[in-house]
mmCIF file of all heavy atoms in Angstrom:
data_model
loop_
_atom_site.group_PDB
_atom_site.id
_atom_site.type_symbol
_atom_site.label_atom_id
_atom_site.label_comp_id
_atom_site.label_asym_id
_atom_site.label_seq_id
_atom_site.Cartn_x
_atom_site.Cartn_y
_atom_site.Cartn_z
ATOM 1 N N GLU A 63 -21.445 -10.079 -8.597
ATOM 2 C CA GLU A 63 -21.196 -8.862 -9.368
ATOM 3 C C GLU A 63 -20.826 -9.151 -10.837
ATOM 4 O O GLU A 63 -20.268 -8.284 -11.476
ATOM 5 C CB GLU A 63 -20.084 -7.997 -8.742
ATOM 6 C CG GLU A 63 -20.351 -7.593 -7.314
ATOM 7 C CD GLU A 63 -21.333 -6.423 -7.178
ATOM 8 O OE1 GLU A 63 -21.900 -6.030 -8.174
ATOM 9 O OE2 GLU A 63 -21.530 -5.997 -6.017
ATOM 10 N N ASP A 143 -16.166 -0.365 -3.071
ATOM 11 C CA ASP A 143 -17.179 -1.367 -3.565
ATOM 12 C C ASP A 143 -16.914 -1.692 -5.019
ATOM 13 O O ASP A 143 -16.390 -0.866 -5.745
ATOM 14 C CB ASP A 143 -18.628 -0.778 -3.470
ATOM 15 C CG ASP A 143 -19.139 -0.755 -2.060
ATOM 16 O OD1 ASP A 143 -18.411 -1.230 -1.170
ATOM 17 O OD2 ASP A 143 -20.264 -0.281 -1.822
ATOM 18 N N SER A 144 -17.240 -2.872 -5.424
ATOM 19 C CA SER A 144 -16.947 -3.292 -6.782
ATOM 20 C C SER A 144 -18.097 -3.218 -7.732
ATOM 21 O O SER A 144 -18.113 -3.730 -8.817
ATOM 22 C CB SER A 144 -16.492 -4.793 -6.732
ATOM 23 O OG SER A 144 -17.499 -5.553 -6.137
ATOM 24 N N ASP A 145 -19.146 -2.486 -7.301
ATOM 25 C CA ASP A 145 -20.356 -2.406 -8.103
ATOM 26 C C ASP A 145 -20.384 -1.085 -8.916
ATOM 27 O O ASP A 145 -21.444 -0.816 -9.614
ATOM 28 C CB ASP A 145 -21.605 -2.565 -7.288
ATOM 29 C CG ASP A 145 -21.722 -1.538 -6.213
ATOM 30 O OD1 ASP A 145 -20.822 -0.707 -6.119
ATOM 31 O OD2 ASP A 145 -22.734 -1.571 -5.442
ATOM 32 N N GLY A 146 -19.356 -0.289 -8.774
ATOM 33 C CA GLY A 146 -19.345 0.968 -9.561
ATOM 34 C C GLY A 146 -19.973 2.160 -8.872
ATOM 35 O O GLY A 146 -19.970 3.226 -9.375
ATOM 36 N N GLN A 147 -20.483 1.897 -7.621
ATOM 37 C CA GLN A 147 -21.125 3.044 -6.922
ATOM 38 C C GLN A 147 -20.122 3.974 -6.391
ATOM 39 O O GLN A 147 -20.372 5.156 -6.157
ATOM 40 C CB GLN A 147 -22.027 2.500 -5.786
ATOM 41 C CG GLN A 147 -23.258 1.834 -6.285
ATOM 42 C CD GLN A 147 -24.271 1.705 -5.155
ATOM 43 O OE1 GLN A 147 -24.177 0.809 -4.348
ATOM 44 N NE2 GLN A 147 -25.229 2.615 -5.119
ATOM 45 N N ASP A 148 -18.904 3.466 -6.052
ATOM 46 C CA ASP A 148 -17.837 4.341 -5.604
ATOM 47 C C ASP A 148 -16.888 4.550 -6.754
ATOM 48 O O ASP A 148 -16.188 3.680 -7.192
ATOM 49 C CB ASP A 148 -17.048 3.613 -4.482
ATOM 50 C CG ASP A 148 -17.909 3.254 -3.281
ATOM 51 O OD1 ASP A 148 -18.946 3.943 -3.078
ATOM 52 O OD2 ASP A 148 -17.554 2.329 -2.585
ATOM 53 N N GLU A 177 -30.711 5.120 -5.072
ATOM 54 C CA GLU A 177 -30.999 4.343 -3.901
ATOM 55 C C GLU A 177 -32.415 4.754 -3.464
ATOM 56 O O GLU A 177 -32.829 5.864 -3.596
ATOM 57 C CB GLU A 177 -29.988 4.550 -2.794
ATOM 58 C CG GLU A 177 -28.693 3.820 -3.135
ATOM 59 C CD GLU A 177 -27.589 4.043 -2.136
ATOM 60 O OE1 GLU A 177 -27.101 5.178 -1.998
ATOM 61 O OE2 GLU A 177 -27.192 3.057 -1.485
ATOM 62 N N LYS A 181 -34.140 3.620 1.955
ATOM 63 C CA LYS A 181 -32.774 3.366 2.348
ATOM 64 C C LYS A 181 -32.053 4.609 2.781
ATOM 65 O O LYS A 181 -31.408 4.625 3.783
ATOM 66 C CB LYS A 181 -32.020 2.699 1.208
ATOM 67 C CG LYS A 181 -30.578 2.314 1.582
ATOM 68 C CD LYS A 181 -29.984 1.325 0.649
ATOM 69 C CE LYS A 181 -28.607 0.946 1.137
ATOM 70 N NZ LYS A 181 -28.081 -0.238 0.490
ATOM 71 N N ARG A 246 -22.132 9.663 -4.844
ATOM 72 C CA ARG A 246 -22.278 8.175 -4.980
ATOM 73 C C ARG A 246 -23.196 7.888 -6.194
ATOM 74 O O ARG A 246 -24.253 8.441 -6.288
ATOM 75 C CB ARG A 246 -22.882 7.663 -3.755
ATOM 76 C CG ARG A 246 -22.920 6.125 -3.702
ATOM 77 C CD ARG A 246 -22.926 5.665 -2.260
ATOM 78 N NE ARG A 246 -23.301 4.272 -2.101
ATOM 79 C CZ ARG A 246 -22.430 3.274 -2.038
ATOM 80 N NH1 ARG A 246 -21.174 3.463 -2.187
ATOM 81 N NH2 ARG A 246 -22.882 2.025 -1.871
ATOM 82 N N LEU A 247 -22.693 7.084 -7.084
ATOM 83 C CA LEU A 247 -23.372 6.796 -8.281
ATOM 84 C C LEU A 247 -24.333 5.605 -8.150
ATOM 85 O O LEU A 247 -24.405 4.986 -7.086
ATOM 86 C CB LEU A 247 -22.348 6.436 -9.436
ATOM 87 C CG LEU A 247 -21.174 7.450 -9.550
ATOM 88 C CD1 LEU A 247 -20.148 6.917 -10.505
ATOM 89 C CD2 LEU A 247 -21.684 8.788 -10.031
ATOM 90 N N GLY A 248 -24.981 5.299 -9.243
ATOM 91 C CA GLY A 248 -25.784 4.094 -9.265
ATOM 92 C C GLY A 248 -24.936 2.869 -9.543
ATOM 93 O O GLY A 248 -23.817 3.023 -9.985
ATOM 94 N N ARG A 249 -25.513 1.706 -9.323
ATOM 95 C CA ARG A 249 -24.744 0.492 -9.642
ATOM 96 C C ARG A 249 -24.491 0.309 -11.179
ATOM 97 O O ARG A 249 -25.325 0.742 -11.936
ATOM 98 C CB ARG A 249 -25.564 -0.758 -9.250
ATOM 99 C CG ARG A 249 -25.623 -1.035 -7.830
ATOM 100 C CD ARG A 249 -26.373 -2.316 -7.557
ATOM 101 N NE ARG A 249 -25.699 -2.992 -6.480
ATOM 102 C CZ ARG A 249 -24.818 -3.963 -6.579
ATOM 103 N NH1 ARG A 249 -24.492 -4.418 -7.772
ATOM 104 N NH2 ARG A 249 -24.248 -4.493 -5.521
ATOM 105 N N GLU A 253 -27.888 -6.257 -8.698
ATOM 106 C CA GLU A 253 -28.662 -5.538 -7.648
ATOM 107 C C GLU A 253 -27.961 -5.673 -6.330
ATOM 108 O O GLU A 253 -26.989 -6.413 -6.156
ATOM 109 C CB GLU A 253 -30.042 -6.180 -7.607
ATOM 110 C CG GLU A 253 -30.105 -7.620 -7.412
ATOM 111 C CD GLU A 253 -31.503 -8.172 -7.632
ATOM 112 O OE1 GLU A 253 -32.049 -7.943 -8.743
ATOM 113 O OE2 GLU A 253 -32.090 -8.714 -6.690
ATOM 114 N N THR A 254 -28.408 -4.869 -5.347
ATOM 115 C CA THR A 254 -27.704 -4.788 -4.081
ATOM 116 C C THR A 254 -27.669 -6.124 -3.401
ATOM 117 O O THR A 254 -28.624 -6.885 -3.383
ATOM 118 C CB THR A 254 -28.365 -3.710 -3.176
ATOM 119 O OG1 THR A 254 -27.744 -3.733 -1.902
ATOM 120 C CG2 THR A 254 -29.877 -3.970 -2.956
ATOM 121 N N GLY A 255 -26.534 -6.411 -2.789
ATOM 122 C CA GLY A 255 -26.372 -7.605 -1.955
ATOM 123 C C GLY A 255 -26.755 -7.322 -0.534
ATOM 124 O O GLY A 255 -26.821 -8.230 0.277
ATOM 125 N N TYR A 256 -26.971 -6.044 -0.215
ATOM 126 C CA TYR A 256 -27.384 -5.637 1.107
ATOM 127 C C TYR A 256 -28.886 -5.690 1.258
ATOM 128 O O TYR A 256 -29.543 -4.684 1.021
ATOM 129 C CB TYR A 256 -26.862 -4.247 1.479
ATOM 130 C CG TYR A 256 -25.614 -4.368 2.386
ATOM 131 C CD1 TYR A 256 -24.357 -4.079 1.821
ATOM 132 C CD2 TYR A 256 -25.709 -4.653 3.699
ATOM 133 C CE1 TYR A 256 -23.218 -4.185 2.595
ATOM 134 C CE2 TYR A 256 -24.600 -4.734 4.467
ATOM 135 C CZ TYR A 256 -23.367 -4.480 3.955
ATOM 136 O OH TYR A 256 -22.232 -4.544 4.750
HETATM 137 MG MG1 LIG B 460 -23.596 -0.918 -3.895
#
Side-chain angles (χ1 to χ4, degrees):
E63 302 283 6
D143 284 358
S144 56
D145 59 0
Q147 286 197 281
D148 302 334
E177 284 177 295
K181 181 160 183 168
R246 188 154 163 95
L247 311 171
R249 284 186 143 262
E253 54 192 62
T254 176
Y256 260 103

